Amino acid sequence: MDNGKEIRWVGSAHEDLLAFPRDARKDAGFQLGKIQAGIEPTDWKPFDNLGAGAKELRITDASGVFRVIYVAKFAEAVYVLHCFRKTTPSTGKRDKSIAAARYRAVRNAREAEK
């Protein structure tokens, strides 16, 4: 079976996702699989203030609220920028800053490859 686009983890995003509780981690993996296949995930919102095409995957389960910020607009891969537990109603400055820096790193690396 063709899984579509490759997933590329930026910074500590993969390790951060692995630190999610089991059910949240499984849901995140399932939703990322849908994104890889070009299928819209169950619960997401645009996060364009980071950069064009950035999105926030929203996961809620009994153990808390979790977010996976990613970019799927590039043909070669889905870039997972940041994974974290959300503890406030709005996304914190630190999490936005991490995701923005990683988005810039992806954009710069792609430009350097051209």
Side-chain angles (χ1 to χ4, degrees):
M1 182 173 121
D2 181 13
N3 288 334
K5 293 182 184 181
E6 165 186 3
I7 289 186
R8 294 187 184 167
W9 303 92
V10 184
S12 65
H14 190 244
E15 292 80 16
D16 297 337
L17 179 72
L18 292 176
F20 283 11
R22 182 178 171 273
D23 289 344
R25 187 175 60 246
K26 284 177 65 176
D27 190 21
F30 178 72
Q31 298 303 323
L32 286 169
K34 289 172 72 172
I35 294 164
Q36 275 184 287
I39 300 168
E40 190 171 290
T42 304
D43 189 7
W44 66 277
K45 72 174 189 174
F47 218 75
D48 288 333
N49 57 339
L50 292 181
K55 296 180 180 179
E56 180 181 63
L57 179 58
R58 303 185 296 190
I59 299 164
T60 303
D61 74 1
S63 59
V65 177
F66 302 88
R67 297 293 184 258
V68 176
I69 299 177
Y70 67 94
V71 180
K73 73 173 190 164
F74 302 119
E76 72 277 5
V78 175
Y79 291 90
V80 179
L81 304 175
H82 188 39
C83 303
F84 60 98
R85 177 187 294 262
K86 192 166 179 184
T87 58
T88 61
S90 61
T91 302
K93 285 174 107 176
R94 179 180 176 277
D95 292 310
K96 287 180 185 177
S97 175
I98 290 168
R102 291 176 180 173
Y103 184 93
R104 283 191 304 275
V106 166
R107 191 181 63 227
N108 292 341
R110 291 182 82 253
E111 286 295 319
E113 290 176 1
K114 289 183 179 179

